[in-house]
Amino acid sequence: MINRVLLFGLLQLARPANVITSIADVVAGYAIVASLAGIYIPNIDIIFLIIATSCLYAGGVVYNDVFDAKLDAVERPERPIPKGTVSLLQAQIWGAILLTIGVLAGYMVNVIAGAIATLICIFALLYDKYSKHHIVFGPLNMGLCRGLNLCLGMAFIPSNLYNMYLIAIIPIIYTAAITLTSHGEVHNGGTRNLYIAAALLCLVYACQTYIFVTYGTRSTDIRLYFQIFMLALPFSVLYHICVAIVRKAAPTYVMHAVKMAVINIIFIDVSWAACFGQYNFAFFMISLFFISRWLARIFAVT
């Protein structure tokens, strides 16, 4: 008989709502290079890429709780490991299984995808164990994981990945902004990081606008309006960060800003698909947003 309490604890460690956002990353990357190759119907590779990113993200956040077990016992006693729902050994095994499946699924696509999956695994563990408490290397490290995740989606056509990999700079900056914001989540860390995060978000939107101008000039009016709409949605994240600044970085408002920022990553991914005319992928990722919001009501996001 399955231990339902243990099963729920393992799922909670994996942050299902966040995992959905990682799926949107690889689908967006896939949509970009597929558009350049004239492909509008996904093949089997996208299944392996979705499995890879899901397991890599889940394994990474599991090990985040593994390395933070002692700290969480004091600051976040409601989490599965300090609460006793999942033992430390069970969490370690669970995380190792997820990361192994993630890397192997990448190699099922091709060597490049496998190598990127391996790098994501390494950088995730590096963040969990060492860099996350560093004001510079922590946000940069986490941003690299997101940027590589977008590249993972583009890796099924390596030649197009080589042409478009610089787009990955945008999720790197965005994720760095989220990570800076999250530093004040548990304890009031002041507004300095929030101001920096807000500035980084403005840079993200400026870069997005440049991409849309570059690739959107060939767009029909309907596609252009769709792009503008999807570009405007992530501004809600900037709004919540500004609210947190006004509230003097009170942990409750910072936590809400982080939650909104994580979930709204999906809309940045949707905007890429729309920009390159991949509406089937765009609407699929919009459905992921609602799934992520639903899961966020059941499982912790932060």
Side-chain angles (χ1 to χ4, degrees), residues 191-273:
T191 58
R192 183 190 63 177
N193 288 353
L194 295 178
Y195 279 114
I196 297 173
L200 289 175
L201 284 176
C202 290
L203 178 60
V204 165
Y205 301 138
C207 291
Q208 279 187 290
T209 302
Y210 171 78
I211 297 296
F212 291 165
V213 169
T214 302
Y215 290 94
T217 53
R218 301 179 301 237
S219 302
T220 63
D221 289 340
I222 294 177
R223 185 185 299 179
L224 183 59
Y225 291 142
F226 188 82
Q227 291 169 15
I228 293 171
F229 174 67
M230 298 314 301
L231 179 62
L233 285 174
F235 271 95
S236 63
V237 179
L238 185 60
Y239 165 77
H240 287 291
I241 290 180
C242 290
V243 170
I245 292 173
V246 171
R247 298 293 181 174
K248 305 299 181 182
T252 300
Y253 292 95
V254 174
M255 187 179 296
H256 187 65
V258 173
K259 180 178 179 179
M260 292 302 298
V262 170
I263 293 175
N264 276 279
I265 289 175
I266 292 176
F267 286 117
I268 292 180
D269 292 324
V270 171
S271 69
W272 296 133

Side-chain angles (χ1 to χ4, degrees), residues 87-258:
S87 72
L88 187 61
L89 178 60
Q90 288 171 330
Q92 290 171 330
I93 294 172
W94 175 227
I97 291 172
L98 288 169
L99 290 175
T100 300
I101 293 174
V103 172
L104 292 177
Y107 277 105
M108 290 296 293
V109 177
N110 56 48
V111 174
I112 300 298
I116 293 174
T118 302
L119 286 175
I120 293 172
C121 178
I122 293 171
F123 278 116
L125 292 174
L126 182 64
Y127 176 83
D128 292 338
K129 180 64 176 178
Y130 298 107
S131 68
K132 66 183 170 187
H133 300 298
H134 195 280
I135 191 64
V136 175
F137 294 113
L140 178 60
N141 191 162
M142 182 56 74
L144 282 171
C145 289
R146 275 288 179 181
L148 286 170
N149 206 35
L150 184 66
C151 290
L152 179 62
M154 293 190 280
F156 90 103
I157 304 180
S159 59
N160 284 348
L161 166 64
Y162 178 78
N163 293 326
M164 302 302 297
Y165 72 92
L166 286 178
I167 288 181
I169 293 174
I170 295 177
I172 290 174
I173 298 172
Y174 182 87
T175 308
I178 297 175
T179 308
L180 274 174
T181 304
S182 69
H183 279 185
E185 181 180 344
V186 177
H187 296 300
N188 192 329
T191 58
R192 183 190 63 177
N193 288 353
L194 295 178
Y195 279 114
I196 297 173
L200 289 175
L201 284 176
C202 290
L203 178 60
V204 165
Y205 301 138
C207 291
Q208 279 187 290
T209 302
Y210 171 78
I211 297 296
F212 291 165
V213 169
T214 302
Y215 290 94
T217 53
R218 301 179 301 237
S219 302
T220 63
D221 289 340
I222 294 177
R223 185 185 299 179
L224 183 59
Y225 291 142
F226 188 82
Q227 291 169 15
I228 293 171
F229 174 67
M230 298 314 301
L231 179 62
L233 285 174
F235 271 95
S236 63
V237 179
L238 185 60
Y239 165 77
H240 287 291
I241 290 180
C242 290
V243 170
I245 292 173
V246 171
R247 298 293 181 174
K248 305 299 181 182
T252 300
Y253 292 95
V254 174
M255 187 179 296
H256 187 65
V258 173

Side-chain angles (χ1 to χ4, degrees), residues 46-82:
I46 199 169
I47 302 298
F48 289 114
L49 291 171
I50 288 174
I51 293 172
T53 189
S54 299
C55 291
L56 289 168
Y57 194 107
V61 294
V62 167
Y63 268 100
N64 181 69
D65 279 23
V66 167
F67 292 127
D68 276 357
K70 292 182 180 179
L71 183 63
D72 287 343
V74 177
E75 296 184 348
R76 303 292 293 272
E78 75 279 4
R79 285 183 169 175
I81 296 175

